[in-house]
Amino acid sequence: MQASVQRLRMKRSPKARWQIGADSFQALKNWMKELRQHGPPNIVVAIAGNKCDLSDAREVLEKDAMDYADSIHTIFVETSAKNTINIHEVFIEISQQITVIYTGGGAAGKGFKLHR
Ligand SMILES: Nc1nc2c(ncn2[C@@H]2O[C@H](COP(=O)(O)OP(=O)(O)OP(=O)(O)O)[C@@H](O)[C@H]2O)c(=O)[nH]1
């Protein structure tokens, strides 16, 4: 729903395009509260700060996003889907954390099962 609200705002005004970063950051914080309250305890969360190629349009400082991610113990990576920046890395980070959670970090090479 948040995404469709953002799209509507984009259609209404070209200026609204620059509001999306801050809106998304606030929406993320709300989703995280819900996820922590209602989601499973051992969930791996990664925040991708996408469109990092659009540096002129930045609304959320990398430090602010990183501090927030640290405070809630999640992965944070700035990405650009357009320029293929850190896309591979974010999936590597996620798979490494899954390994740590499901093996206690001490079973490298032994494998583990992913549950649906
Ligand atoms: N410059 C740039 N544009 C991107 C990037 N990722 C997606 N886009 C563009 O952003 C627009 C929206 O992309 P969607 O795939 O709908 O993504 P979304 O999550 O709905 O994105 P927003 O609503 O813009 O937050 C499209 O025009 C994409 O081509 C990126 O990393 N850099």
Side-chain angles (χ1 to χ4, degrees):
M1 186 172 148
Q2 185 65 30
S4 23
V5 170
Q6 287 168 357
R7 283 201 189 94
L8 284 174
R9 282 185 192 150
M10 282 168 65
K11 278 176 197 157
R12 251 185 260 141
S13 153
K15 277 188 189 164
R17 185 71 189 83
W18 313 117
Q19 299 298 320
I20 286 170
D23 281 357
S24 297
F25 194 43
Q26 189 52 53
L28 167 70
K29 289 177 178 176
N30 296 338
W31 288 332
M32 283 310 304
K33 274 187 203 148
E34 282 188 41
L35 188 64
R36 292 299 187 217
Q37 275 172 5
H38 305 294
N42 278 349
I43 193 165
V44 174
V45 176
I47 300 171
N50 195 37
K51 304 185 188 177
C52 69
D53 56 290
L54 297 176
S55 52
D56 289 350
R58 176 182 287 278
E59 277 206 359
V60 179
L61 294 175
E62 184 176 14
K63 184 186 180 314
D64 291 347
M66 209 176 268
D67 287 350
Y68 172 68
D70 282 349
S71 75
I72 59 166
H73 311 291
T74 63
I75 298 161
F76 173 72
V77 184
E78 290 218 324
T79 60
S80 168
K82 186 179 180 185
N83 293 352
T84 327
I85 297 169
N86 281 340
I87 303 301
H88 182 73
E89 285 76 3
V90 75
F91 286 99
I92 295 289
E93 289 275 342
I94 291 168
S95 55
Q96 283 175 344
Q97 276 222 5
I98 290 172
T99 311
V100 169
I101 286 176
Y102 283 90
T103 66
K110 287 186 186 168
F112 58 94
K113 283 185 181 170
L114 289 175
H115 302 281
R116 280 175 188 248

